[in-house]
Each structure stands twice: as C-alpha cells, then as structure tokens.
Amino acid sequence: PIAEVTKKPETIEKNLPSIEKPKAPSTIQQTTTKLNMRSKQLIKTVEVDASSFRVDLYDNGQIDGDTISVFYNGKLMVSRQRLSTEPISINITLDSSKEENELVMFAENLGTIPPNTALMIVTVAGKRYEVNISSSEQTSGTVRFKLNNAAIR
C-alpha cells in the first residue's frame, strides 16, 4: 500500500521593491483645487524656435526639501516631486491653438528655507534658457512659452 504524505507548503519571504501607488484622483483634485486658490506670478515669457522642447527643474541653491507639482496648460504633469540636484524632466509640446502656453510650478511645501525655488532649464532646438522660478503658499511661479513665428518661416 502507498502511504499518504501530507506536507505543509513552505512560506517563502521575498524582499520585493516597493512600488509607488498611482496618485489617487482625490489627491490630484486637491492639488488642482489648491492651485486655483493661489495667484499666478508671471516670471518670464520665453519665445522658443520649435514646438517641442525639454524643461528640467532643479532645486535652486541649497537642497532644502522643496516639493512641487507642475501644471502645463492646466494639466498636472508632475505630482509632488522633490527638487534636488537631479532634474525633474518634462517633455513639452506647444498647443498650436494657443498663442501662449503656460507652465505653473505649484509649491507643495516650502522646504526648510522659504520660498520654494527652482532653476528651470529649457532646452529647445540647440538653445538653452535658464529661468529662476519661485512659488510660495500664496503664489505659483509661472512661465509662458510662445512660438517664435519668425523661426518657422
């Protein structure tokens, strides 16, 4: 006769990397609502020679824990990211139906040294533009982009 052997399954523990959960719609809605409650402070209007370009955001000065969200034409592009020596990079395509396109830096916090400051580097068609942008709990730093019509002729 064959004897039955019952064996409990082994428990295997693995250290799996943590996966960041997607931002809940309520979190996005809260940030959008707060954005609409703050005034926008126009820092600069940048004329660009191409409709697509890259924006890199760095902490400007001492790394002090500044956290930002970034909106482009009202759409959340970056949610609650900490500024550092490594760039937060965003690829931008201008909306041709608008004369000016708007990028808004929303301060999620002020870090340890208020206000929330960033160095924005715009790289477009081999050119580089630098903009110092700041945001507080009252204002959101805003940069507008406009296509240089002479460049596309």
Side-chain angles (χ1 to χ4, degrees), residues 123-134:
T123 307
V124 56
K127 293 183 182 175
R128 176 183 157 119
Y129 304 89
E130 292 187 8
V131 180
N132 290 311
I133 185 169
S134 67

Side-chain angles (χ1 to χ4, degrees), residues 62-119:
Q62 188 173 347
I63 309 301
D64 66 331
D66 292 340
T67 301
I68 63 167
S69 290
V70 178
F71 291 82
Y72 177 65
N73 289 337
K75 180 182 173 193
L76 183 64
M77 302 292 286
V78 173
S79 180
R80 299 174 184 237
Q81 294 290 311
R82 180 162 289 162
L83 291 166
S84 71
T85 57
E86 295 296 316
I88 296 172
S89 298
I90 308 165
N91 291 315
I92 300 284
T93 301
L94 295 180
D95 181 343
S96 60
S97 70
K98 297 177 182 279
E99 186 173 325
E100 293 182 333
N101 291 254
E102 191 171 78
L103 187 136
V104 178
M105 184 179 87
F106 176 84
E108 293 287 354
N109 71 16
L110 302 179
T112 58
I113 307 169
N116 189 318
T117 57
L119 170 63

Side-chain angles (χ1 to χ4, degrees), residues 9-13:
E10 289 182 35
T11 302
I12 300 174
E13 292 185 29

